[in-house]
């Protein structure tokens, strides 16, 4: 089985951050979302992985290298424009050849592993196998209608009147049969080749399309609020440790990680908090749900429920809550304590 990970798209809901980096590379709890996806594929034995990229190909190449740090071998496949998930599948066809494929969206965080779904797919070898998750508002997602045995009867993209609440998580297992269905597609009303339309064709043709319900954690990291929430949710899963330098005037409360090479002086760290290697925190309060990126400076500031990307500098008087601060930003006297979750960048 080969892997296919989608890392294109514009990430418009995360502007201005995504003008300079793909949303899939934004870290949560210290690890880029795309890296978590690749590790998930490695965990089920998928080694050869194509990553579909757009205009920000070089940033992905620089971040992933050959993929070995995540246990896979990465090949980048260029998609000239965001033309839909099924179009990405078609573009990657030369890489996939006639192998089974595990296709995963690169902006999804899913805990609990892919083992169950992968095992069911390999045991039954259906044309397609979908990983589904119950949601409160299915109108925001692609939704599957399934039988009592998990057989997929229909899929609808963002239905106005949903027949159920089982959303497509962005994890798909396909046999080579899917390529014939993709070849028959025509662009949807939004001008894209929809993977849901390809699945519908398989169902209509009588091919076996099955599903597994995922009952663990799942988050589509598409907005600043999603990034902030996901970071907060995942931080308690880290092993608490203080490997860096923390002076005696600093108070450490709760679940805190200070990586080797970080330095904290005269501050309050109220976990869950992650301070990455090379960061300096001085005369500041770092509140729950916060990651301070590598080589950041936080000086005389307050940061809560936020993700501060690598190399940023927060100077005297900065007060952040619910923010994602872009890579290498310099902030002075920013008050965001009353703002909704947002991206902060120049």
């Amino acid at each position: 089985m080969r892997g296919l990970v989608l890392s294109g798209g514009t990430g418009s809901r995360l502007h201005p951050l995504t003008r300079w980096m793909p949303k899939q590379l934004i870290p949560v709890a210290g690890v880029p979302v795309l890296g978590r996806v690749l590790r998930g594929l490695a965990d089920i034995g998928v080694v050869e992985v194509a990553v579909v990229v757009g205009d920000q190909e070089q940033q992905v190449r620089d971040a992933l290298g050959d993929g070995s740090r995540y246990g896979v071998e990465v090949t980048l496949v260029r998609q000239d424009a965001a033309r839909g998930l099924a179009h990405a599948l078609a573009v990657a066809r030369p890489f996939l050849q006639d192998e089974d494929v595990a296709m995963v969206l690169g902006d999804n965080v899913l805990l609990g592993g892919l083992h169950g779904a992968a095992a069911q797919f390999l045991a039954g070898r259906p044309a397609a196998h979908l990983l589904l998750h119950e949601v409160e508002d299915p109108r925001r997602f692609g939704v599957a209608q399934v039988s009592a045995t998990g057989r997929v009867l229909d899929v609808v993209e963002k239905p106005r009147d949903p027949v159920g609440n089982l959303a497509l998580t962005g994890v798909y297992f396909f046999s080579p049969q899917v390529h014939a269905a993709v070849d028959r597609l025509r662009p949807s009303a939004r001008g894209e080749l929809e993977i849901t339309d390809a699945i519908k064709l398989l169902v209509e043709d009588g091919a076996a399309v099955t599903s597994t319900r995922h009952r663990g954690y799942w988050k589509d990291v598409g907005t600043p609020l999603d990034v902030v929430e996901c970071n907060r949710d995942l931080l308690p899963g880290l092993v608490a440790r203080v490997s860096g330098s923390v002076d005696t005037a600093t108070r450490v409360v709760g679940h805190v990680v200070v990586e080797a090479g970080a330095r904290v002086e005269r501050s309050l760290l109220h976990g869950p908090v992650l301070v990455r290697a090379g960061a300096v925190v001085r005369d500041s309060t770092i509140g729950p749900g916060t990651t301070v990126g590598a080589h950041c400076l936080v000086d005389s500031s307050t940061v809560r429920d936020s993700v501060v990307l690598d190399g940023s500098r927060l100077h005297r008087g900065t007060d952040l809550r619910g923010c994602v601060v872009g890579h290498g930003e310099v902030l002075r006297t920013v008050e965001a304590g009353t703002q909704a979750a947002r991206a902060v960048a120049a």
Side-chain angles (χ1 to χ4, degrees), residues 259-276:
E259 293 183 347
R263 189 169 80 250
V264 184
E265 302 171 352
R266 301 180 302 277
S267 297
L268 167 63
L269 304 181
H270 189 186
V273 160
L274 167 62
V275 180
R276 302 296 313 277

Side-chain angles (χ1 to χ4, degrees), residues 208-284:
V209 178
T210 55
S211 67
T212 298
R213 294 194 190 191
H214 178 69
R215 303 186 188 279
Y217 184 88
W218 169 57
K219 173 74 76 174
D220 172 0
V221 185
T223 69
L225 179 59
D226 294 328
V227 174
V228 167
E229 288 182 347
C230 191
N231 183 71
R232 182 175 62 233
D233 292 342
L234 269 55
L235 282 175
L238 301 179
V239 177
R241 65 188 188 281
V242 176
S243 302
S245 172
V246 177
D247 69 8
T248 56
T250 293
R251 184 182 176 205
V252 176
V253 179
H255 196 98
V256 171
V257 178
V258 180
E259 293 183 347
R263 189 169 80 250
V264 184
E265 302 171 352
R266 301 180 302 277
S267 297
L268 167 63
L269 304 181
H270 189 186
V273 160
L274 167 62
V275 180
R276 302 296 313 277
V280 176
V281 177
R282 180 187 304 130
D283 299 313
S284 296

Side-chain angles (χ1 to χ4, degrees), residues 39 132 155 209 277:
R39 284 179 180 171
L132 308 176
V155 288
V209 178

Side-chain angles (χ1 to χ4, degrees), residues 28-152:
V28 289
V31 180
V33 175
L34 185 55
R36 293 181 179 275
V37 171
L38 294 177
R39 284 179 180 171
L41 289 171
D43 285 345
I44 59 171
V46 175
V47 175
E48 297 175 281
V49 180
V51 178
V52 177
V53 295
D55 292 339
Q56 295 170 317
E57 175 181 354
Q58 191 58 49
Q59 291 94 321
V60 176
R61 188 181 302 278
D62 292 343
L64 298 185
D66 62 3
S68 58
R69 76 188 69 178
Y70 299 112
V72 298
E73 299 172 6
V74 165
T75 298
L76 299 188
V77 175
R78 183 66 180 265
Q79 187 181 26
D80 60 353
R83 302 179 187 272
L85 305 189
H87 181 263
L89 190 61
V91 168
R93 177 74 186 275
F95 170 86
L96 299 172
Q97 301 179 20
D98 287 324
E99 301 278 348
D100 292 336
V101 55
M103 186 173 89
V104 186
L105 301 188
D107 56 0
N108 279 4
V109 174
L110 185 146
L111 302 185
L114 306 178
H115 293 276
Q120 287 193 31
F121 171 73
L122 293 172
R125 289 301 311 283
H129 188 83
L130 315 180
L131 191 62
L132 308 176
H133 195 283
E134 293 185 6
V135 296
E136 292 184 2
D137 184 5
R139 294 171 298 178
R140 297 172 49 217
F141 304 93
V143 175
Q145 181 182 0
V146 303
S147 71
T149 61
R151 180 120 179 184
V152 176

